[in-house]
Amino acid sequence: MAYVNFNHVTVKYPIYNAKSMSLRNQLVRIGTGGRLSKETTDIINITALDDVSFELKKGDAIGLVGHNGAGKTTLLRTIAGIYTPESGNITSQGRVSTIIELGAGMDHELSGYENIFRMGMLLGATRSEMDSKMDEIAEFAELGDFLAVPVRTYSSGMLMRLMFAVGTSIEPEILLIDEMFSTGDANFQEKAHARMEALINAAEIFVFASHSPELIQRHCNRIFTLKHGKIIETNPF
Amino acid sequence: MNHAIKDIEDSFNKLPMAIYFAWGDTVARYRRSILGPLWLVLGTVIGTLGLGWLWGSLLKVDYATFFPSLTVGLVVWQLIASSIVEGSTAFIRSAILIRNVKTPYLIFPVQVLLRQLINFGHNLIVVVGVLIIFSSALSWVTLLFIPNLLLVLGNLLWMILLIGLLGARFRDMEQLIAAVMPILFFLSPVIYRPDQLGIKSAFIWLNPFSHMISLLRFPLQGSVPPTFVYVVMVSMLIVGWLISLWFLNRKYGRIAFWV
C-alpha cells in the first residue's frame, strides 16, 4: 500500500553561483586557508522546507498552494526522492510518477513513439509493458500521425499531452503533478481531469501543485499551504 | 557506502533502459545524415590514412607494421578520449531528467560508456579491415582482446563517474578536460610504441591511458601484454572504483542540486 511519511524534514537548497562552481576559486580557497571564503565561494543556502512533518496515505489527494517560490516544486521533488533532506527522514512506498517539468526525459530528435518508450522506462516500466500500452497512450494523447515525427516539432501543449498520457498510463501509486495545465486545449484538459479523477478514485496518493482554486477544489481532499518553508494544512470545505 | 551500493543495484536493474537510451542517442545523432553511423567508420578511415601517411613518412617506418599499430591505437584512443570528454558532462547533460525523475545515478556514466562502445564497435570494422589487408599475425592470443576490453571498460566507467560528478559540481571540469586531452594524445603510445622511446618509455607508463592502449593493442597484434600492465590496470580498477564510489556515496544527496 502506498504511503509517504515526512518526519521533521528540512530541505536546504544550495544555490551555486558562477564563482562557487569554478574549480579555480576552490583552489584559491584551499590555498588561502579558506580565509577568503566570503569572496570566493558564495553558496547561498535557501531553506525550502523547514521542519516539515506530514503523513499521506491511500486515498489522499493533496492540493499544494503557495505563491511562486514558496517551495511547491521542491516539496514534490522531495516526495519523489529526487532531493534528499538535510535533516529529518522520509519513508515512502509506491510506484512514483512525476509530471513536473515539460519535456523531462525526452530526446527531442526522436519521434513521439520512441519517447513514449523512453519515458515509460524511466518511470519503471519495461519495454514489453510499454509495447502493450502503446495503443492506449496514443489514443489518449490524440497526437495521431504526429507521434511518428520528432518531438522537437511539438508545441508545448502537445508535449504536455504526451507527458501526461505516459505519466498516468503506468498506473502510478503516487502521482505528483506540478502546475502545467495552462497548456493544452480545453478538450484535452477535460480529458486529463477525467483521468485524474479516475486515478484519485483508484485510491492512490495524488499531490498536485496549482494556482487554480477551482482545480484544487475539484480534485483534492486535503490542502497544504506552503509559506516560508512551512506547511499549513487548511480545510478544503 | 549505503547509497552507492543501492545505486549500483538500482542501476543494474535499469540496464535495459540504459542500453535503449544509448542506442536511441546514437540513432538520433545520425538520423538526418545519409551515411548515418557509417560516418564513424569513414572518419576513422580518413584519420588513419592521413595520419598513417604523414607520420609514416616523417618517422620513416615500415608501413606493414606501422599501419595496424596506428589504427588500433587511434581507435582505442578515440574510445578513451570520448569517454573522458563526454564523461565530464555525464550528469549535466541529463540535468532535466535528474531534476524530474528519481533515477539511479550510475545509469548516466553507463550510458556514456555504452554510446562510446557503440562507436567503438563501428570502428572495429576498420581495425579488422586493416588487420586483414596487412595480414597481421592473428592467433589464439587475439582472443585475449575480449577480457582485456572488459578490463579497460571497467576502468573507463569509474573514470567517467568520477569526472562526471566533479564536472557537475565544478563547471570548469569540461574545459579542463578539453584542454588536457590533446596533449595526452601525444603522451600516449598512439602513433609510436613505448619501446621506441627507449629510456624515456618509463614516463609513458605513468599515463594510465598507455596501459589501456597496450592492453588492447598487444592481443590484436598477436602477443600477450606485459604482466605489469595487468597489475597496474587491475589495481587501478580496484582503487578507482573505491574512490569514485566513496565520492558518490558522500555527495549522493547533493547531485540533484548540482546539475
Side-chain angles (χ1 to χ4, degrees):
Chain A
M1 197 190 297
Y3 67 86
V4 178
N5 262 332
F6 270 49
N7 192 9
H8 299 287
V9 170
T10 297
V11 173
K12 284 200 175 140
Y13 194 113
I15 299 193
Y16 302 94
N17 64 14
K19 272 185 179 168
S20 60
M21 278 298 208
S22 121
L23 201 57
R24 185 181 61 142
N25 282 286
Q26 289 293 322
L27 293 177
V28 168
R29 193 171 66 100
I30 295 164
T32 55
R35 261 168 297 167
L36 283 174
S37 62
K38 221 177 168 183
E39 284 144 342
T40 49
T41 56
D42 288 325
I43 305 174
I44 305 158
N45 268 300
I46 292 176
T47 307
L49 297 177
D50 187 9
D51 194 24
V52 167
S53 298
F54 59 82
E55 199 178 319
L56 308 183
K57 50 190 189 308
K58 210 173 166 185
D60 279 348
I62 316 294
L64 279 185
V65 290
H67 61 83
N68 299 116
K72 297 189 294 291
T73 308
T74 306
L75 179 60
L76 288 177
R77 285 183 176 144
T78 312
I79 296 174
I82 297 162
Y83 287 166
T84 333
E86 179 109 346
S87 62
N89 59 52
I90 301 168
T91 45
S92 70
Q93 195 187 307
R95 194 176 194 175
V96 181
S97 180
T98 43
I99 304 178
I100 300 178
E101 219 173 317
L102 212 54
M106 291 190 190
D107 186 318
H108 290 254
E109 279 300 320
L110 295 175
S111 71
Y113 284 119
E114 286 159 314
N115 273 299
I116 290 175
F117 278 116
R118 275 178 79 98
M119 284 186 291
M121 288 168 98
L122 268 174
L123 297 172
T126 62
R127 253 188 103 163
S128 50
E129 266 181 272
M130 290 316 290
D131 239 342
S132 60
K133 289 195 166 76
M134 187 55 87
D135 290 340
E136 186 224 316
I137 293 172
E139 195 195 309
F140 186 82
E142 283 179 29
L143 290 169
D145 292 337
F146 272 105
L147 282 179
V149 302
V151 163
R152 83 186 126 78
T153 61
Y154 287 21
S155 69
S156 56
M158 290 161 78
L159 281 178
M160 199 276 284
R161 279 166 176 252
L162 194 62
M163 277 194 80
F164 188 84
V166 179
T168 52
S169 74
I170 63 146
E171 291 140 31
E173 290 163 305
I174 302 173
L175 178 63
L176 311 170
I177 299 188
D178 208 347
E179 176 96 83
M180 57 188 305
F181 286 91
S182 43
T183 52
D185 49 46
N187 174 37
F188 185 75
Q189 286 199 22
E190 207 35 62
K191 258 178 92 170
H193 293 313
R195 188 173 234 193
M196 261 157 65
E197 258 155 29
L199 277 168
I200 298 160
N201 290 337
E204 310 294 350
I205 293 175
F206 173 60
V207 185
F208 176 45
S210 176
H211 290 291
S212 151
E214 301 99 71
L215 287 179
I216 299 259
Q217 278 290 346
R218 182 169 165 186
H219 296 299
C220 303
N221 52 28
R222 290 171 75 182
I223 292 176
F224 285 3
T225 308
L226 270 160
K227 209 170 195 180
H228 304 301
K230 298 271 190 196
I231 287 179
I232 305 146
E233 181 161 7
T234 48
N235 201 314
F237 307 108
Chain B
M1 286 304 244
N2 287 345
H3 292 303
I5 290 165
K6 175 107 179 38
D7 199 274
I8 295 175
E9 207 183 303
D10 292 345
S11 299
F12 191 76
N13 291 333
K14 291 249 179 193
L15 209 55
M17 183 185 96
I19 295 169
Y20 184 76
F21 274 40
W23 185 250
D25 288 342
T26 313
V27 170
R29 192 172 145 204
Y30 293 104
R31 178 140 290 177
R32 289 167 76 194
S33 72
I34 297 164
L35 287 181
L38 279 180
W39 273 115
L40 288 167
V41 179
L42 203 64
T44 309
V45 170
I46 294 171
T48 317
L49 284 178
L51 277 176
W53 175 76
L54 179 70
W55 287 96
S57 343
L58 276 176
L59 299 170
K60 296 190 180 55
V61 286
D62 168 31
Y63 281 106
T65 50
F66 181 62
F67 248 104
S69 164
L70 177 74
T71 311
V72 178
L74 278 177
V75 167
V76 174
W77 174 256
Q78 210 176 317
L79 170 72
I80 296 171
S82 7
S83 295
I84 302 293
V85 169
E86 283 202 25
S88 61
T89 53
F91 295 100
I92 308 172
R93 231 180 96 110
S94 303
I96 298 182
L97 213 163
I98 290 172
R99 274 189 274 118
N100 287 286
V101 185
K102 173 78 186 150
T103 16
Y105 288 120
L106 205 56
I107 213 83
F108 302 107
V110 168
Q111 228 174 294
V112 171
L113 189 63
L114 283 173
R115 271 204 304 271
Q116 297 317 319
L117 201 58
I118 292 170
N119 294 356
F120 184 68
H122 282 93
N123 283 337
L124 274 185
I125 300 171
V126 183
V127 173
V128 171
V130 166
L131 291 182
I132 290 171
I133 292 170
F134 291 95
S135 54
S136 299
L138 293 189
S139 66
W140 286 108
V141 176
T142 311
L143 286 179
L144 263 182
F145 178 77
I146 294 161
N148 288 7
L149 179 63
L150 289 177
L151 188 54
V152 169
L153 295 178
N155 269 302
L156 280 177
L157 190 58
W158 73 255
M159 290 180 179
I160 298 172
L161 171 63
L162 192 62
I163 290 170
L165 288 173
L166 290 171
R169 175 64 183 84
F170 301 108
R171 297 301 157 97
D172 300 51
M173 204 62 195
E174 197 186 339
Q175 317 300 332
L176 181 71
I177 298 275
V180 171
M181 283 324 266
I183 185 69
L184 275 178
F185 173 79
F186 290 104
L187 293 178
S188 306
V190 178
I191 296 164
Y192 51 89
R193 295 169 66 118
D195 48 274
Q196 289 171 317
L197 282 180
I199 191 96
K200 292 188 195 74
S201 74
F203 290 103
I204 289 304
W205 295 114
L206 289 176
N207 171 6
F209 302 143
S210 304
H211 297 268
M212 293 188 179
I213 294 170
S214 306
L215 210 51
L216 296 181
R217 180 146 65 188
F218 275 97
L220 284 182
Q221 300 202 305
S223 54
V224 182
T227 319
F228 76 92
V229 172
Y230 280 105
V231 174
V232 169
M233 287 298 278
V234 171
S235 335
M236 213 160 79
L237 186 76
I238 296 166
V239 176
W241 270 107
L242 283 178
I243 293 175
S244 43
L245 285 180
W246 167 79
F247 191 62
L248 173 71
N249 194 56
R250 210 176 116 86
K251 295 295 181 189
Y252 204 78
R254 307 299 273 181
I255 301 167
F257 296 114
W258 284 348
V259 293

